[in-house]
């Protein structure tokens, strides 16, 4: 597992998020609210949504429509490719809803859908594939060749989605490009920005990436007044009202 991916998983590790499908009469909803990993064992140890578990849910679905809701900092690109292929093979319509962050490998999954709807306030990020390698010169040359092929396949998928050429997509990936929902729409990565869907607050620790924005915490709510404070304010109001009434009576 690449060093940066392991950092992404460990920095954001928590309880495993549910993939459980929400079924209606004509649509099934699945969730990728976590990093993306290959196996259930990895998900158990490091957290994440595994292709091993998610792909069968997609392939076994009998619903005419599938809604896939994403809030993910990315993960294993080969696991993402397996999920993306299951989406492409799905016989019904697939809509991806980006509820917050859709970064790295998560964008590979999203681009396989028929339609992508992104919450205003969400984030979209593309970059080149990472890995770790060990061995001699030949091993590293082979790994570099594999990375080039993986980047090329991803760039082609982005180009097919956006209508741009693959070289332009590689340029965005080289720069580790982060986009707002409006910027992603302008670049044609997504099909619609939904002002109705409020983006999930970005709580991801994305420090594994070079150009990641700072995570945003939930805004601190204004403290509610205590019962004593409410009572005091009411007494002050009644006192002011009594003085006004008395002044009017004296006139």
């Amino acid at each position: 597992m690449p060093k940066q991916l392991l950092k992404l998983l460990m920095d954001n590790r928590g309880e495993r998020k549910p993939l459980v499908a929400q079924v209606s009469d004509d649509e099934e909803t699945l969730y990728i609210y976590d990093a993306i990993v290959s196996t259930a064992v990895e998900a158990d140890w490091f957290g994440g949504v595994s292709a091993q578990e998610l792909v069968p849910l997609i392939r076994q679905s009998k619903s005419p429509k599938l809604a896939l809701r994403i809030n993910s900092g990315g993960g294993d690109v080969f696991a993402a490719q397996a999920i993306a292929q299951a989406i492409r093979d799905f016989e019904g319509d697939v809509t991806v809803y980006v509820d917050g962050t859709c970064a790295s490998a998560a964008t590979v999954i999203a681009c396989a859908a028929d339609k992508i709807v992104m919450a205003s306030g969400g984030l979209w990020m593309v970059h080149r594939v990472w890995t770790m390698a060990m061995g001699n010169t030949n091993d590293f040359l082979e790994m570099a060749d594999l990375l080039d092929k993986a980047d090329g396949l991803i760039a082609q998928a982005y180009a097919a989605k956006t209508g741009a050429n693959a070289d332009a997509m590689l340029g965005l990936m080289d720069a580790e490009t982060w986009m707002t929902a409006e910027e992603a729409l302008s670049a044609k990565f997504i099909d619609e920005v939904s002002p109705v869907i409020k983006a999930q607050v970005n709580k991801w620790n994305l420090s594994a990436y070079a150009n990641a924005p700072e995570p945003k915490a939930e805004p601190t709510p204004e403290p509610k007044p205590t019962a004593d404070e409410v009572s005091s304010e009411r007494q002050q109001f009644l006192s002011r009202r009594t003085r006004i009434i008395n002044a009017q009576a004296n006139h």
Side-chain angles (χ1 to χ4, degrees):
M1 184 177 292
K3 178 182 177 182
Q4 291 95 330
L5 174 56
L6 184 59
K7 176 174 171 55
L8 180 71
L9 288 167
M10 297 307 293
D11 284 348
N12 295 281
R13 186 176 182 183
E15 293 184 8
R16 289 189 62 186
K17 312 294 192 301
L19 326 163
V20 179
Q22 174 186 328
V23 182
S24 66
D25 291 340
D26 64 347
E27 186 174 70
E28 193 166 357
T29 302
L30 299 173
Y31 295 85
I32 300 180
Y33 267 40
D34 213 329
I36 300 152
V37 297
S38 290
T39 68
V41 171
E42 287 174 305
D44 284 337
W45 276 93
F46 304 111
V49 171
S50 76
Q52 185 180 27
E53 295 167 295
L54 188 61
V55 167
L57 290 177
I58 297 171
R59 293 196 177 279
Q60 293 166 13
S61 174
K62 303 300 181 184
S63 178
K65 295 180 182 179
L66 182 66
L68 187 61
R69 309 201 74 99
I70 293 178
N71 183 21
S72 174
D76 187 322
V77 68
F78 296 108
Q81 291 284 17
I83 296 168
Q85 188 59 48
I87 290 172
R88 285 189 287 267
D89 291 342
F90 186 76
E91 293 183 358
D93 294 327
V94 181
T95 300
V96 161
Y97 295 92
V98 178
D99 291 337
T101 299
C102 187
S104 186
T107 63
V108 174
I109 295 171
C111 284
D114 299 301
K115 183 178 181 180
I116 305 173
V117 179
M118 189 169 176
S120 181
L123 288 172
W124 180 278
M125 186 275 275
V126 298
H127 72 142
R128 281 190 178 263
V129 176
W130 295 331
T131 194
M132 293 178 68
M134 181 181 296
N136 59 30
T137 301
N138 292 331
D139 296 320
F140 278 91
L141 289 173
E142 288 175 6
M143 182 55 68
D145 185 51
L146 176 61
L147 290 176
D148 275 341
K149 289 178 180 177
D151 282 335
L153 290 172
I154 293 169
Q156 288 174 17
Y158 292 158
K161 177 64 182 177
T162 63
N165 63 59
D167 286 340
M169 297 296 99
L170 283 171
L172 292 176
M173 293 161 65
D174 268 330
E176 187 190 299
T177 303
W178 292 82
M179 287 168 262
T180 64
E182 291 73 21
E183 289 168 338
L185 179 65
S186 178
K188 299 183 179 179
F189 279 103
I190 67 172
D191 303 293
E192 182 181 330
V193 176
S194 174
V196 177
I197 304 172
K198 184 179 178 182
Q200 300 286 321
V201 174
N202 177 23
K203 295 181 179 178
W204 283 89
N205 181 341
L206 299 169
S207 59
Y209 298 120
N211 302 326
E214 291 293 325
K216 295 180 181 178
E218 292 278 4
T220 303
E222 291 291 330
K224 294 182 178 180
T226 65
D228 288 342
E229 289 171 336
V230 171
S231 177
S232 175
E233 288 182 4
R234 179 173 174 77
Q235 289 297 328
Q236 291 174 20
F237 169 75
L238 292 174
S239 177
R240 286 195 300 269
R241 189 177 69 171
T242 300
R243 288 198 299 271
I244 293 170
I245 291 172
N246 290 337
Q248 291 173 341
N250 290 335
H251 286 296

